[in-house]
Amino acid sequence: MNRRFLAPGDPAPWFTQRCTTPSGRYSFDMAAGRYNLLYFFPSAAGADIGERLEHLAGDPVFDGVRCQLFGVSADSDDELSGRLHAQPPGVRHFLDADRLVAGHYGVPAGGRGLVLVDPMLRIAAIADDEPSSVRQVLSFLRHLPDALAVQRQVPTPALMLPGVLEPALCEMLIRYFHGQASVQSAIFTEPEPGRSLPVTDIGFKSRRDCVLRDPALVAQLQHRVIHRIVPEISKYFQFQVTRMERMIVACYDAADHGCFGPHRDNTVTATAHRRFAVSINLNDDFEGGGLSFPEIGPARYTAPLGGATVFSCSVLHAVAPVTRGCRYACLPFLHDAPGAARA
Ligand SMILES: O=C(O)CCC(=O)C(=O)O
Ligand SMILES: [Fe+2]
């Protein structure tokens, strides 16, 4: 391992690489919110490496919730021979014959080693592939409750702004939703660089959206965002918003297991211009549906009726399943003129 390349405390490089996932690819930014151990090796055909992989993959500490293991193989034969297989939810392997991941992490050709990445996707430790370092890393991961307790006290970098929309306007927006056709809300994937593709995956995102086409309602919503949210973003984050998009009313319904898995809002080409996400709750007679920021901590936030949660589009966030009733929300994204020029 080239220890001068990256050091503990540095951000772990993000990448998208071929992987033993059902889609055949994995974007490492999605791994946030738990510890991730990357094990770099030249080929799983080496007897000692095969043993090490088996030893690591068999450790119950890699439960996919608090820890994940990613083997990073430099050998294209590892894939062809079927030597590497995922053991979901905690163990997957990157197929890195083109050395994309190894290059980002400074692992030389033929090199092997361990990189432990923390829930915020920062380097926690770098170690050689030696029995003593493997023991140390596993022992650290087994004692995670202590490390995660510290993480629980961390404040979330989001604004909570009560009273952005009046109750009567919230009611009108919910009524509008029920008077229109709604569609199953999609997520973007990027099967190849530069080509963003909307797909539905109701296990990951279950929500119905209805585009606001009533000019008077759009104007009322825009007015509140401009006068009640934009100045707060300017004050707290020193960013001048001049553009707004996605005027929708969305509904997460307990009957449909309404939810949205962990994601970022600006990681594909079509969304790269987005800067701030706004989540305004239009009702409060539901259970579940809390917004969380898994790479920061486990806390869930529910804005009051008419209140907004505002956060940076590049922060990982998720919506917990709605367990009773429906959660209605307006969810605009904000950006600026340079962003609009790129969109
Ligand atoms: O429902 C929410 O509060 C957040 C929605 C969200 O993250 C999104 O639409 O990208
Ligand atoms: Fe989002």
Side-chain angles (χ1 to χ4, degrees):
M1 299 286 290
N2 182 349
R3 285 164 186 269
R4 270 171 309 178
F5 199 87
L6 286 173
D10 291 349
W14 292 5
F15 56 86
T16 300
Q17 177 59 300
R18 299 181 53 241
C19 189
T20 56
T21 48
S23 73
R25 293 179 74 72
Y26 190 84
S27 291
F28 191 60
D29 73 272
M30 302 292 280
R34 66 214 110 186
Y35 276 85
N36 292 281
L37 183 63
L38 296 170
Y39 174 41
F40 291 88
F41 56 86
S43 168
D48 55 335
I49 293 176
E51 264 168 44
R52 176 82 77 236
L53 267 173
E54 214 168 298
H55 172 214
L56 286 171
D59 196 299
V61 82
F62 299 108
D63 59 3
V65 177
R66 296 185 329 155
C67 305
Q68 291 187 130
L69 170 70
F70 289 96
V72 187
S73 163
D75 183 3
S76 53
D77 273 356
D78 278 347
E79 180 182 7
L80 298 172
S81 64
R83 272 193 292 265
L84 289 181
H85 38 91
Q87 290 165 248
V91 180
R92 299 187 187 86
H93 303 285
F94 285 113
L95 308 163
D96 197 43
D98 61 3
R99 294 189 26 80
L100 176 105
V101 187
H104 278 308
Y105 282 78
V107 178
R112 49 198 279 193
L114 300 158
V115 177
L116 184 64
V117 177
D118 77 10
M120 292 178 78
L121 297 186
R122 297 155 1 120
I123 306 289
I126 301 177
D128 292 326
D129 183 12
E130 301 289 345
S132 60
S133 3
V134 173
R135 267 198 304 277
Q136 256 180 8
V137 168
L138 290 176
S139 154
F140 171 80
L141 292 178
R142 283 187 198 114
H143 295 92
L144 272 187
D146 304 341
L148 292 174
V150 174
Q151 199 205 357
R152 271 188 206 108
Q153 299 160 13
V154 174
T156 298
L159 286 181
M160 179 68 87
L161 304 172
V164 169
L165 300 188
E166 301 80 350
L169 179 54
C170 294
E171 213 180 295
M172 275 199 284
L173 289 163
I174 294 174
R175 218 176 308 127
Y176 181 87
F177 178 90
H178 286 289
Q180 307 293 315
S182 60
V183 295
Q184 188 69 49
S185 187
I187 48 172
F188 275 113
T189 58
E190 192 140 307
E192 56 195 68
R195 192 166 68 90
S196 310
L197 199 68
V199 296
T200 51
D201 173 353
I202 56 163
F204 188 76
K205 180 185 193 181
S206 171
R207 184 177 92 198
R208 296 197 70 84
D209 291 352
C210 144
V211 178
L212 262 182
R213 296 190 202 279
D214 177 332
L217 273 182
V218 171
Q220 291 197 61
L221 181 57
Q222 281 176 336
H223 185 270
R224 270 97 180 148
V225 172
I226 292 168
H227 290 277
R228 299 176 180 168
I229 294 182
V230 170
E232 303 302 333
I233 292 179
S234 168
K235 185 200 315 173
Y236 287 101
F237 300 120
Q238 302 219 18
F239 180 83
Q240 202 49 53
V241 169
T242 56
R243 299 285 189 280
M244 192 184 315
E245 63 176 329
R246 203 174 68 155
M247 306 309 266
I248 59 168
V249 182
C251 172
Y252 298 89
D253 190 337
D256 303 331
H257 302 284
C259 67
F260 197 169
H263 66 283
R264 302 173 203 270
D265 292 329
N266 63 352
T267 46
V268 300
T269 308
T271 62
H273 61 284
R274 296 175 179 171
R275 290 294 173 267
F276 285 91
V278 174
S279 163
I280 307 174
N281 277 353
L282 302 179
N283 63 320
D284 56 8
D285 51 346
F286 61 89
E287 279 166 23
L291 194 55
S292 67
F293 302 90
E295 67 194 336
I296 311 291
R300 289 180 183 170
Y301 301 90
T302 302
L305 187 155
T309 312
V310 182
F311 52 95
S312 160
C313 287
S314 47
V315 175
L316 194 76
H317 55 283
V319 177
V322 171
T323 51
R324 182 182 67 79
C326 290
R327 172 180 168 235
Y328 297 92
C330 279
L331 306 165
F333 290 116
L334 309 178
H335 58 285
D336 62 0
R342 267 177 277 129

